[in-house]
Amino acid sequence: MTMNIWSYVRKFDSTAPEKHIELLIKEARNFIRKDRAVKVLDIGGGYLDRTKFFKDFGSVSVLDIKKGSKTDIVGSVLNLPIDNSNYDVVTLFMVLEHIEDPQKAIMEIARVLKPKGLLLLTTVQYWHNHDCPKDYFRYTNEGLDYLVNQTGFKVRKIWSLGGPVMVVFHAIELNLPSFWRKLFFLLTPIFSWLDKNSVGQDSVGWAIVAQKYK
């Protein structure tokens, strides 16, 4: 079967969220004993099938603000309907920018994590405005480091989701009409290759492994 051209090109997109989810989960394993099951809370994945990412963990509960096809728990990250110290890992993939009170959200996550539990997080520094249902913030690496350190965590690993060349790429791509956007997306491999050797502080976003220190 011929691979869809868009799926093929997407394989070369260094900013693709699923690539960084896989890397985050691989990094998380360095902080978790490999001889025991891991209990995971995936926040914001109620409409997404992330089963393949968590296949090596014990159990996964999915929380979302609304009932989706994959939702196990309906609730807000600002007031999690979950007991204290209940999970080994909490994931927050491309959700933080949509939360109106990020400090309270991270404190709630700390509350439901077991001692030395992990927060796996991705968020954006550059992206277009997108409702889900609201879009509030953009984050630098220093801002994220400050936020998690103020809420009971220590950053164990942080990396960029794409540098300045990919920022330029997405600034153009995301603001084109649908037809031209698809054509421009075919240039993804070229921009991703150039981005590997780019120098600068701009970033598409960030991936973080943070550990609860109490």
Side-chain angles (χ1 to χ4, degrees):
M1 182 181 294
T2 303
M3 180 181 289
N4 181 291
I5 184 64
W6 310 113
S7 299
Y8 178 76
V9 171
R10 189 169 175 77
K11 289 173 59 179
F12 296 92
D13 184 359
S14 59
T15 66
E18 56 270 19
K19 291 184 179 181
H20 296 281
I21 291 174
E22 290 177 348
L23 288 171
L24 280 166
I25 290 172
K26 183 178 179 180
E27 285 291 338
R29 273 299 182 188
N30 294 326
F31 299 94
I32 300 171
R33 283 176 48 188
K34 295 178 174 59
D35 60 345
R36 70 179 181 86
V38 177
K39 193 174 179 183
V40 179
L41 176 65
D42 179 22
I43 296 174
Y47 294 86
L48 303 169
D49 187 358
R50 291 176 175 158
T51 307
K52 65 178 181 179
F53 298 119
F54 301 116
K55 62 181 183 298
D56 294 331
F57 290 150
S59 64
V60 181
S61 299
V62 179
L63 179 140
D64 214 313
I65 194 70
K66 296 181 180 179
K67 181 65 177 176
S69 59
K70 303 299 178 181
T71 308
D72 300 304
I73 307 167
V74 176
S76 169
V77 67
L78 298 174
N79 187 22
L80 292 170
I82 296 166
D83 293 337
N84 295 348
S85 305
N86 203 28
Y87 287 94
D88 301 288
V89 176
V90 173
T91 65
L92 199 67
F93 299 138
M94 295 303 179
V95 175
L96 191 64
E97 62 270 23
H98 300 290
I99 299 172
E100 63 267 36
D101 191 342
Q103 185 175 46
K104 184 176 180 181
I106 303 297
M107 289 176 67
E108 270 291 275
I109 290 170
R111 178 183 66 79
V112 303
L113 273 171
K114 298 175 184 178
K116 297 190 176 180
L118 298 178
L119 167 62
L120 309 183
L121 182 154
T122 61
T123 191
V124 288
Q125 178 167 323
Y126 168 77
W127 206 249
H128 66 154
N129 187 279
H130 55 296
D131 294 339
C132 191
K134 301 282 188 178
D135 191 5
Y136 292 102
F137 297 105
R138 297 294 180 266
Y139 294 91
T140 64
N141 57 331
E142 291 182 343
L144 288 167
D145 184 73
Y146 177 82
L147 177 63
V148 298
N149 274 287
Q150 290 295 307
T151 48
F153 289 93
K154 177 71 175 177
V155 173
R156 297 302 185 189
K157 191 97 175 189
I158 182 169
W159 65 86
S160 170
L161 302 185
V165 173
M166 290 308 290
V167 169
V168 172
F169 172 79
H170 286 300
I172 299 170
E173 179 241 344
L174 292 168
N175 289 285
L176 289 173
S178 179
F179 173 77
W180 294 106
R181 181 178 179 184
K182 287 181 178 180
L183 288 181
F184 189 78
F185 191 73
L186 295 175
L187 299 176
T188 299
I190 297 172
F191 276 84
S192 290
W193 179 78
L194 290 171
D195 194 60
K196 290 180 181 178
N197 298 308
S198 63
V199 178
Q201 297 299 314
D202 287 332
S203 177
V204 173
W206 301 96
I208 286 181
V209 179
Q211 189 170 34
K212 182 178 174 180
Y213 56 75
K214 292 183 181 179

